Amino acid sequence: MESVLSRYENQITILSDYLEEFPETDEPVWILGRQHHLKADKSKLLLDISARLWFTYRRKFSPIGGTGPSSDAGWGCMLRCGQMMLAQALICRHLGREKMCWSPQSSSAAHSSTQLHRSALGRNKNTAVFCAGWKPLLLIIPLRLGINHINPVYIDAFKECFKMPQSLGALGGKPNNAYYFIGFLGNELIYLDPHTTQSFVDSEENGTVDDQSFHCQQAPHRMKIMNLDPSVALGFFCKEECDFDNWCSLVQKEILKQQSLRMFELVQKHPPHWPPFIPPTKPEVTTTGAELIESTDKLFELEEEFEILSV
């Protein structure tokens, strides 16, 4: 069985080959609020990228609703991207931005990041509330940055969001493909692609999970910002109230005050001309999922692309 150290070295080699394709530039690479320089700290950049949790299509999981599909290939890419953003928020909440990385000293894949997650959750189980009236905040801001194509006026502000320490990246992509964007270099976005079908991974008897397939074994992808579909969703995580205050200050300084056409607004109170806010209630689920399809025998044998519908 291949050792964790060998897998770690192979992954670094793959990513190193990919980074050779980056243009010769002194511009920094930004990954979820962290700045890297290709010439000075390539290894840190490699570790940061490989540490992100990568969720893809899966097959052979328990049929949804008991008789529904057992694979999400062809239709679940946006769901997987959302899971990657949520996973990053949970990492920041329970582990911290700095602590989530693959370690070649781990004795086995099942005891690397999985054990780290379990121990962190145990430590935080009875932790007191950070401050009165405040709970960790996952903030997702859906946006439309153009009609058919992204408006160039938003590009600088969009890139600034990846520099913020609260950044969870962005959800979006292009027609028929959803991606999880984690950073940028110049005018190119860096993203994780969920369009790979892997087998379902079950937990071991001791409760651990082999997490090898949850870290990208492929080189991360890049795309020009101008090729981005205008429908996107920005993600941010504020663990404490001071994080949120800092985020508001950064938005005011880096986005709102420098943009004539703003991506979004910050307001102190609920605008009076808006309808009243009514918290959503959990709907009653009466469907098993089986009625959504005619047959599951040949369902999703091909990795059909998932379409992002434009409003």
Side-chain angles (χ1 to χ4, degrees):
M1 181 177 179
E2 187 181 20
S3 67
V4 170
L5 179 58
S6 297
R7 290 200 299 268
Y8 174 86
E9 291 175 342
N10 290 339
Q11 186 180 32
I12 293 299
T13 299
I14 292 173
L15 292 174
S16 295
D17 293 341
Y18 170 73
L19 287 183
E20 295 301 325
E21 302 176 6
F22 273 75
E24 290 293 332
T25 177
D26 293 326
E27 289 189 79
V29 180
W30 286 92
I31 302 293
L32 300 178
R34 190 60 34 77
Q35 183 179 12
H36 300 282
H37 293 278
L38 286 173
K39 296 182 179 180
D41 56 1
K42 179 185 293 187
S43 61
K44 291 182 180 179
L45 172 60
L46 297 177
L47 287 173
D48 200 9
I49 294 176
S50 64
R52 298 315 104 212
L53 289 177
W54 179 52
F55 295 151
T56 70
Y57 291 148
R58 294 283 174 171
R59 61 176 180 269
K60 299 182 180 179
F61 52 72
S62 299
I64 298 175
T67 56
S70 58
S71 171
D72 64 335
W75 57 269
C77 59
M78 181 56 80
L79 296 175
R80 296 302 184 182
C81 290
Q83 289 175 342
M84 285 189 269
M85 178 177 285
L86 176 59
Q88 182 62 27
L90 292 174
I91 288 171
C92 294
R93 167 66 177 86
H94 295 288
L95 302 176
R97 176 64 172 81
E98 298 290 343
K99 295 181 180 179
M100 181 58 187
C101 63
W102 265 22
S103 172
Q105 285 79 28
S106 299
S107 59
S108 68
H111 288 82
S112 53
S113 63
T114 301
Q115 284 295 92
L116 191 57
H117 277 81
R118 288 165 61 85
S119 61
L121 289 172
R123 288 195 305 270
N124 287 277
K125 188 174 182 180
N126 297 316
T127 301
V129 179
F130 294 107
C131 59
W134 178 265
K135 294 182 180 180
L137 172 67
L138 168 58
L139 179 62
I140 298 178
I141 306 176
L143 300 171
R144 181 82 180 183
L145 303 180
I147 308 272
N148 297 317
H149 304 281
I150 187 171
N151 190 327
V153 73
Y154 295 120
I155 289 180
D156 288 341
F158 185 70
K159 290 164 57 176
E160 285 294 331
C161 293
F162 290 97
K163 297 181 181 181
M164 297 178 181
Q166 301 85 3
S167 174
L168 295 178
L171 306 177
K174 55 185 180 180
N176 302 317
N177 292 278
Y179 303 132
Y180 175 44
F181 296 96
I182 60 174
F184 74 92
L185 169 62
N187 285 321
E188 291 188 322
L189 297 172
I190 300 171
Y191 65 92
L192 297 180
D193 189 351
H195 298 89
T196 296
T197 304
Q198 303 185 89
S199 294
F200 168 74
V201 177
D202 203 352
S203 59
E204 305 291 341
E205 292 183 359
N206 60 359
T208 61
V209 177
D210 186 339
D211 66 349
Q212 180 183 2
S213 66
F214 294 100
H215 293 272
C216 190
Q217 304 296 306
Q218 305 171 0
H221 301 275
R222 291 181 292 155
M223 68 176 288
K224 295 184 181 299
I225 295 181
M226 286 304 299
N227 292 336
L228 181 69
D229 187 272
S231 294
V232 298
L234 299 172
F236 303 95
F237 177 75
C238 301
K239 187 175 183 179
E240 301 179 9
E241 189 172 6
C242 60
D243 295 323
F244 180 72
D245 292 337
N246 175 258
W247 177 80
C248 291
S249 297
L250 289 173
V251 170
Q252 291 285 359
K253 177 182 177 182
E254 304 296 342
I255 295 180
L256 300 185
K257 291 185 178 180
Q258 299 182 14
Q259 297 293 320
S260 58
L261 189 59
R262 300 176 176 181
M263 291 197 302
F264 56 87
E265 296 279 355
L266 287 181
V267 293
Q268 292 290 336
K269 298 180 179 180
H270 190 87
H273 59 281
W274 284 14
F277 173 71
I278 301 176
T281 58
K282 186 176 180 180
E284 293 184 4
V285 179
T286 58
T287 178
T288 64
E291 62 271 27
L292 300 178
I293 56 175
E294 296 180 358
S295 173
T296 60
D297 295 338
K298 297 183 179 181
L299 186 64
F300 309 128
E301 289 184 352
L302 299 177
E303 295 186 19
E304 299 178 359
E305 294 179 330
F306 179 74
E307 181 177 2
I308 304 176
L309 299 179
S310 299
V311 179

